[in-house]
Amino acid sequence: MPKHGKNYNANVAKVDSAKLYAPKEAMELVKELATAKFDETVEVSIRLGVDTRKADQNVRGSISLPHGTGKSVRVAVFAEGEKAREAEEAGADVVGSDELVAQIQSGEINFDAAIATPNMMAKVGRIGKILGPRGLMPNPKLGTVTMDVAKMVSELKAGRVEYRADRYGICHVPVGKASFEVEKLVENYAALYTEILRVKPASAKGKYVKSVAVSSTMGPGVKVDGSVTRDFLA
């Protein structure tokens, strides 16, 4: 087991491990426990009763958080002609076609998210083995393969996040920074949690949401009451 410092252990002692906190109460506590010297990311972990080995139980998508994540996102767009111009005007950091593919093949990846127009996917497919493991492959299900590149650039810049249940059925999603006001963190959480409930697979059996926890980068986890599905700021 890794050894934790005095600060971490003191923070753990402030958390009632047997208690399910209301969302607002949980965020207040997470902010209090974020004592690192940098602005910690606040992450929500939702454990779902799904079997991700079954295609019809994969929980994956993306959502625009009302207050963003507090992180500046560098966006690359695979496009040509008019669509390339639209992407540049919308604020894309990297725009290109063959030259962008070659750049990535050479190992130069200086972006956090990627978008492609449908006609570019044959070229993008050539670098799928590079982009895929990094979670950077444009995907129609996530809205990142689109003709409306300007809209998607704006949404990614504003704080669109991807959620995806891992092999254990857990979605780990950032919902802001410890410096955010409590209300903004709660509203981001509410948007994410409502979306996770909305996309429940029809074939999922038993209890869908098994547990919810929230933590800052260096802080301990705080259990959240998953039965709260409205009046999140109460």
Side-chain angles (χ1 to χ4, degrees):
M1 292 285 289
K3 289 185 178 179
H4 292 292
K6 288 181 182 177
N7 279 355
Y8 181 88
N9 291 331
N11 284 341
V12 168
K14 296 177 184 176
V15 180
D16 183 347
S17 61
K19 180 178 178 179
L20 295 177
Y21 291 83
K24 185 180 179 185
E25 194 181 14
M27 291 303 180
E28 288 170 343
L29 186 54
V30 165
K31 277 177 63 70
E32 180 189 335
L33 302 180
T35 54
K37 292 179 181 177
F38 61 93
D39 193 4
E40 298 179 51
T41 294
V42 175
E43 183 180 271
V44 172
S45 299
I46 305 173
R47 185 164 163 259
L48 303 174
V50 296
D51 184 351
T52 53
R53 292 171 300 179
K54 296 177 179 175
D56 61 354
Q57 290 192 32
N58 275 323
V59 174
R60 184 180 186 186
S62 61
I63 179 175
S64 292
L65 298 176
H67 304 291
T69 62
K71 178 187 175 186
S72 59
V73 180
R74 287 184 58 82
V75 179
V77 179
F78 295 90
E80 296 174 327
E82 184 61 31
K83 290 298 169 185
R85 282 190 290 277
E86 285 178 21
E88 287 171 351
E89 288 170 7
D93 300 277
V94 187
V95 182
S97 175
D98 294 306
E99 70 282 8
L100 180 53
V101 170
Q103 189 177 309
I104 292 163
Q105 285 173 326
S106 71
E108 191 179 336
I109 301 174
N110 56 356
F111 53 87
D112 308 299
I115 301 166
T117 54
N119 63 314
M120 292 297 298
M121 286 307 290
K123 293 178 180 179
V124 177
R126 299 203 300 265
I127 49 174
K129 287 184 179 178
I130 301 172
L131 297 181
R134 293 174 169 82
L136 295 173
M137 189 69 179
N139 186 321
K141 291 181 180 176
L142 302 177
T144 46
V145 177
T146 177
M147 289 301 287
D148 197 348
V149 291
K151 181 186 177 198
M152 186 50 65
V153 168
S154 299
E155 288 189 6
L156 288 171
K157 288 281 189 181
R160 191 173 186 88
V161 293
E162 180 181 341
Y163 57 86
R164 182 179 190 175
D166 63 17
R167 58 189 290 198
Y168 303 107
I170 304 172
C171 293
H172 301 279
V173 187
V175 292
K177 293 287 188 179
S179 60
F180 278 25
E181 295 167 11
V182 168
E183 288 73 16
K184 289 184 177 180
L185 286 171
V186 175
E187 285 166 5
N188 278 356
Y189 166 81
L192 170 66
Y193 193 56
T194 301
E195 169 71 2
I196 294 292
L197 295 177
R198 185 188 70 80
V199 298
K200 176 184 177 182
S203 60
K205 302 287 187 252
K207 192 173 184 182
Y208 177 52
V209 176
K210 292 195 167 184
S211 64
V212 184
V214 62
S215 63
S216 62
T217 306
M218 305 298 286
V222 177
K223 294 176 183 174
V224 184
D225 186 352
S227 69
V228 177
T229 57
R230 57 188 355 165
D231 301 327
F232 289 94
L233 283 165

